[in-house]
Amino acid sequence: SFKFDFGTGAVAKGYQAVGPSDYYSKAKGFGFMPNAKISAENRASKEALTSDFCTSNTPFFFTVDVPEGNYDVNVILGDTEGTSSTSIKAECRRLMLAKVETEKGKLITKNFTVNVRYPEISDSSSVKLKPREKEYLHWDHQLTLEFNGKLPKVCALEIRPASSKIPTVFLAGNSTVVDQAIEPFAAWGQMIPSFFQAGKVVFANHAESGETIKSFTTEKRLEKVMSQIKKGEYFFMEFAH
C-alpha cells in the first residue's frame, strides 16, 4: 500500500511526505503532475496527519506508479481552522467524489474504489490505442487523482489493493460511455462510479469515442476485457446509439 501525508508540517509515522514542490519523477514513483500551482498550510495541531494540507485555486493532479488492478483509496479532507470543498476524479476525469464539503474546523475521511488498467494484454499482445489515447491518463501505468472544487484541502491519502472479491463492472461503448478527457464533455460511464459504495463494486470503463462493435474487437479492446473478467462480474455494452 501507499501512504502520503500532504503539507509541509510534521510527517505521520509510516507516511511519505508530499509538499507543494514534490512533482512526479520516475525515480520517486509519485508526485504532483507538472504545472500545478499548489500551496500548503500548517495549523496549530499535534496530529501530524491532519495539522497540514495541500490546496490550490485550480485543479491539481497527483499520480502514483501502481500495478494494474483495483484499488481502495482513502482520503482525509478538511481544515482544522477553516472550511473546504473538494471533488475528486480518478484517471481520465472519472468522478469518484462530488462536492465533499467540511464545516470550519472539521475533517472528513472518504473512500472509493478505482480500476487501473494497462494496454498490455500479454507479452505479445496489446490494445491498439488511437494516437490521442496515448495522452490520456487511463492507459498509462499509474493511478492519477484530480483534486478539484471551490476550496480543495487534502491532508492525507492511502492507496491499497482492493479485495479480489469486489466485483468489477466492465463498460464498452463509444462517446456516450467513455471517460471524456476534456472539459466540459462527460459521459455516463465516467459519472456512474460516484453513485456506488466503495468496496462493493468497481467500474472498469473500456469505452472509447467513435468505437463500433467491429473496431472494439479488431483493436483488441474486447480481448482485453475478456482477459480480466471473472465469473460473477458484469459487462455492459452500448453501441450504435
Side-chain angles (χ1 to χ4, degrees), residues 115 166-171 188 192 196 201-206 229 233-236:
N115 173 263
I166 297 175
T168 300
V169 177
F170 293 86
L171 305 180
W188 68 260
I192 199 170
F196 287 78
V201 66
V202 61
F203 287 85
N205 191 357
H206 287 254
I229 196 166
E233 296 188 323
Y234 301 85
F235 186 17
F236 296 137

Side-chain angles (χ1 to χ4, degrees), residues 87-98:
S87 293
I88 299 178
K89 299 175 183 178
E91 298 291 82
C92 200
R93 299 181 57 241
R94 195 179 310 155
L95 185 61
M96 296 290 130
L97 299 173

Side-chain angles (χ1 to χ4, degrees), residues 212-229:
T212 63
I213 291 176
K214 181 178 180 181
S215 63
F216 200 84
T217 302
T218 58
E219 294 167 2
K220 297 187 176 182
R221 299 176 195 271
L222 178 61
E223 182 181 336
K224 177 66 178 182
V225 171
M226 299 311 294
S227 72
Q228 295 186 318
I229 196 166

Side-chain angles (χ1 to χ4, degrees), residues 7-228:
T8 54
V11 181
K13 185 178 180 180
Y15 283 74
Q16 291 262 18
V18 178
S21 60
D22 280 315
Y23 292 101
Y24 173 83
S25 70
K26 194 65 180 176
K28 191 162 54 177
F30 67 87
F32 293 114
M33 295 182 70
N35 303 319
K37 298 177 181 178
I38 302 165
S39 60
E41 294 285 348
N42 296 327
R43 304 305 193 194
S45 169
K46 295 181 180 180
E47 295 293 332
L49 202 59
T50 56
S51 63
D52 54 351
F53 55 85
C54 283
T55 185
S56 178
N57 56 11
T58 59
F60 59 100
F61 297 78
F62 184 76
T63 192
V64 185
D65 292 338
V66 296
E68 185 174 49
N70 297 326
Y71 291 88
D72 286 327
V73 179
N74 286 355
V75 60
I76 300 177
L77 306 170
D79 180 356
T80 58
E81 296 182 13
T83 61
S84 74
S85 180
T86 310
S87 293
I88 299 178
K89 299 175 183 178
E91 298 291 82
C92 200
R93 299 181 57 241
R94 195 179 310 155
L95 185 61
M96 296 290 130
L97 299 173
K99 294 183 181 179
V100 178
E101 299 185 339
T102 61
E103 297 176 355
K104 185 175 181 178
K106 300 295 184 180
L107 299 162
I108 190 169
T109 299
K110 287 288 187 177
N111 50 74
F112 53 89
T113 306
V114 61
N115 173 263
V116 175
R117 67 175 184 267
Y118 288 8
E120 294 86 3
I121 301 171
S122 64
D123 291 341
S124 60
S125 182
S126 294
V127 174
K128 184 180 180 181
L129 301 177
K130 297 172 182 176
R132 65 173 180 241
E133 289 184 271
K134 296 176 183 178
E135 302 300 320
Y136 292 170
L137 300 176
H138 58 199
W139 280 120
D140 53 16
H141 295 170
Q142 299 164 310
L143 170 57
T144 303
L145 301 177
E146 174 187 348
F147 297 97
N148 209 323
K150 292 187 300 182
L151 194 59
K153 295 181 178 180
V154 186
C155 297
L157 178 68
E158 181 180 359
I159 301 167
R160 62 182 186 277
S163 168
S164 60
K165 296 180 180 179
I166 297 175
T168 300
V169 177
F170 293 86
L171 305 180
N174 44 36
S175 58
T176 62
V177 187
V178 70
D179 288 345
Q180 293 279 2
I182 302 171
E183 295 281 2
F185 302 106
W188 68 260
Q190 73 188 121
M191 295 301 171
I192 199 170
S194 64
F195 292 92
F196 287 78
Q197 291 183 345
K200 299 294 185 181
V201 66
V202 61
F203 287 85
N205 191 357
H206 287 254
E208 168 56 19
S209 295
E211 289 295 303
T212 63
I213 291 176
K214 181 178 180 181
S215 63
F216 200 84
T217 302
T218 58
E219 294 167 2
K220 297 187 176 182
R221 299 176 195 271
L222 178 61
E223 182 181 336
K224 177 66 178 182
V225 171
M226 299 311 294
S227 72
Q228 295 186 318

